[in-house]
Structures are given as structure tokens and as C-alpha cells.
Amino acid sequence: MNEPFTNQLSHCTCCPRNCGVNRIAGKLAVCKVGSEIRISHAGLHFGEEPPISGTQGSGTIFFAGCNLRCAFCQNYQISQEFQRHPSRVLSVDGLADEMLQLQSAGAHNINFVSPSHMIFQMADAIIVARQKGLVIPIVYNTNGYDSVDALRQIRGLVDIYLPDIKYMDDKLGKRYSAVLDYAEIIPGVLREMLDQVGHLQMDEDGIATHGLLVRHLVLPGQLENTRLCLRFLADLSPDISVSIMSQYSPQHKAGKYPEINRTLTKEEYDGITEYALDLGLENAFVQEIESQAACLPDFEQANPFNFA
């Protein structure tokens, strides 16, 4: 019998921070979570891209904590301030049972949000859930700041990778997300994910079954960064599926940064979507600019999202 993935948390290097702390002994570092499985919300979610949410919803499980410190994070209540908000601690079997409950509720998939710092706990639970009858796809919904080594270890457990590509400029990563090497890390992460699962595949109803879908949130006034991100994706493969998100609004601590303390304009977004097409990125999902308000969650509520 293989050792639990979670045993590696005795000297944690599960993300590129490589903090090296003993989370099993309760030591905390950037993510502020020990070896326990701590979740902030689980339920059907209808606000993801159409192949993920479909008609019946994505079975979304939000982990508490995060390995980034994005000033503009719309999930800051649970990513950076989760100690102030309700959360639950589950066993591996308990998390497996949450997956099975979501499957029974009709979810198209199990969608783990912010798994980078919880990748090994997640992996152990997926194995148990599949032994108990989980058959729907697993979605790894990440900020993109992942360990390539950890991703290789869980190969075969994830069906759909849903990563961000936030920055191809390390100065922006440092300024807005308190990370020094995001632009250095993300290319290897995306190559590994594409190698594992290939391009996005959908069934006859347009529901994702396998593959990679990359997200990019367009930041106001930072359009050159967006162009760099899209150019990288086009060079990686023009067939890659990309979600170009217009939903940015200045949340959390964004007011401290005047240049991003506003919403994106329609002109900015339209220019970026045209640029993506010029690059040959035809498998692109776009948003209505009005999504800026509709996409904001409130994790004080039993149902944090106001999607229909």
C-alpha cells in the first residue's frame, strides 16, 4: 500500500514557496493552513465557464487559505481572512463523502478551488472517493502557482486543469500578489498540465470531460501583461482553450494601488479579445463586461453566489 500523499507535509514543499515547515506538527507558513483539510464552502456552482458549470452545476469545494496574497482577490474572505469566517475541518474520508454527495446532487464534476497548498490532502481524498464510487471528472481550479513536481505526483487523479495565468511579468506578481517568481513558474506549470490532460474535450452536451482550460483575468491598465500572457499561450499551442475574463473589480486591498482601483473598460476588453483572435486563439471564452458585479461572492452567506 502506498504511503498517503499527506505524509509529505512534514516538510512542506507542495507549492513553489518551498516553505519546508512541518504542517503535520501544526507549523504554519504562507498558506496559514496545517495538514488538516479545511474547507470554506461546498456546493453546486453555476458561475464557471459553460463547459464546467453546464446545466446542473459544478460540484465546487473551496479550500480555506491560499499560497498567494492577491491584493484584488474576490475570494479574500476565505483565501486570506478565513480565520474570521466559518470553515469546516474534514478527514480524508469526510472530504471523499463531500465529493460523493455532490455527485449525488447531479454535479457535472468535482471542482477543487485553491488546491495548490492542499494538493496532497486532495489527492488522498480523490483516491478514497473513487474507491467509494466517484465517477465524475475532477477539476483542479488553481491560481497557477503550483509545484510541477507535486503535479507530476498526482498525474492521473485530475481530469480537467483550470489554472490561471495571472502574470508574465514578475514585477506585477510581486506588487499585487506578494510572489517573486510567478512569471518564472507558470510556463512549466501549464506545460505539465497540457502534457497530462491535453486540450479541452467536451461531450455531446458541451460539458467538459478532460483537458486544459486556462483563465486570464484582465487587469485594468495592465494590458501589456495580458498581451504577454496571451502570446505565451498561443506559442504553447494555438488550439489551447482560454477564458479571457472581464470581471475584475477592485476588491480587498486593491484601493491601495491607484492604477487598478477601477473596473476594466469595454474598450480595453474588446481590444484584448481582438488581440487574442489575431494570435489565432480561437478556442476562447469571453465575458460580458457587466459580469464585474455579478461574479462577486459573499462567503458570509450560505450560498455565496447570486447566479441563477
Side-chain angles (χ1 to χ4, degrees):
M1 183 175 178
N2 293 330
E3 282 193 16
F5 284 100
T6 313
N7 286 359
Q8 298 179 64
L9 298 180
S10 63
H11 182 81
C12 187
T13 57
C14 74
C15 89
R17 297 276 186 187
N18 291 321
C19 297
V21 300
N22 187 346
R23 291 170 65 185
I24 293 173
K27 302 296 183 182
L28 305 181
V30 174
C31 69
K32 306 298 184 188
V33 181
S35 62
E36 75 273 16
I37 298 172
R38 185 173 293 277
I39 70 168
S40 293
H41 177 71
L44 296 176
H45 185 23
F46 294 88
E48 307 284 36
E49 287 79 3
I52 305 298
S53 285
T55 55
Q56 296 168 200
S58 178
T60 309
I61 297 173
F62 288 83
F63 287 122
C66 186
N67 63 346
L68 294 184
R69 288 288 176 268
C70 299
F72 50 83
C73 181
Q74 68 176 27
N75 291 349
Y76 69 92
Q77 292 168 308
I78 63 172
S79 64
Q80 298 177 46
E81 299 181 358
F82 68 88
Q83 299 97 333
R84 305 181 196 175
H85 299 274
S87 62
R88 290 187 286 147
V89 174
L90 302 176
S91 65
V92 167
D93 281 301
L95 182 56
D97 289 342
E98 289 282 337
M99 293 185 240
L100 293 167
Q101 289 173 25
L102 289 166
Q103 177 174 268
S104 297
H108 292 296
N109 47 61
I110 300 299
N111 181 353
F112 288 108
V113 180
S114 298
S116 306
H117 64 300
M118 302 287 281
I119 185 170
F120 293 142
Q121 297 98 312
M122 177 202 77
D124 286 337
I126 291 170
I127 292 169
V128 172
R130 286 183 171 163
Q131 291 169 347
K132 290 183 172 182
L134 185 76
V135 295
I136 57 178
I138 297 292
V139 179
Y140 188 91
N141 183 343
T142 171
N143 58 38
Y145 195 58
D146 288 283
S147 161
V148 172
D149 177 68
L151 293 173
R152 287 174 178 159
Q153 290 188 55
I154 68 162
R155 190 180 187 110
L157 294 181
V158 169
D159 303 286
I160 299 162
Y161 279 109
L162 188 60
D164 292 340
I165 179 170
K166 292 182 179 293
Y167 313 109
M168 285 298 286
D169 180 341
D170 276 332
K171 292 192 296 293
L172 296 185
K174 180 181 179 181
R175 180 167 175 79
Y176 300 137
S177 297
V179 61
L180 299 179
D181 57 352
Y182 187 96
E184 297 171 41
I185 294 294
I186 191 64
V189 167
L190 296 180
R191 290 188 184 103
E192 175 64 23
M193 291 176 171
L194 184 60
D195 182 68
Q196 284 192 24
V197 297
H199 291 301
L200 190 67
Q201 300 172 34
M202 293 175 274
D203 65 17
E204 61 273 11
D205 297 318
I207 307 302
T209 58
H210 208 76
L212 174 65
L213 171 55
V214 183
R215 288 171 162 167
H216 175 71
L217 177 66
V218 185
L219 298 178
Q222 308 302 319
L223 303 187
E224 181 55 28
N225 175 61
T226 290
R227 287 188 283 266
L228 288 171
C229 290
L230 294 176
R231 276 207 297 273
F232 171 78
L233 294 177
D235 289 343
L236 181 60
S237 172
D239 296 323
I240 205 163
S241 294
V242 56
S243 177
I244 306 172
M245 298 187 294
S246 65
Q247 69 190 58
Y248 177 86
S249 64
Q251 299 299 310
H252 193 34
K253 299 179 180 179
K256 297 181 178 180
Y257 304 90
E259 71 276 15
I260 60 168
N261 191 26
R262 64 174 176 85
T263 56
L264 194 68
T265 68
K266 186 174 187 302
E267 289 72 23
E268 286 175 316
Y269 187 66
D270 288 348
I272 287 300
T273 56
E274 289 176 15
Y275 183 77
L277 290 175
D278 289 343
L279 289 173
L281 291 169
E282 297 186 357
N283 295 325
F285 295 87
V286 298
Q287 286 183 319
E288 297 295 330
I289 202 77
E290 292 78 17
S291 65
Q292 291 160 345
C295 292
L296 290 177
D298 181 1
F299 288 94
E300 290 288 349
Q301 307 300 317
N303 181 7
F305 298 93
N306 59 1
F307 301 107

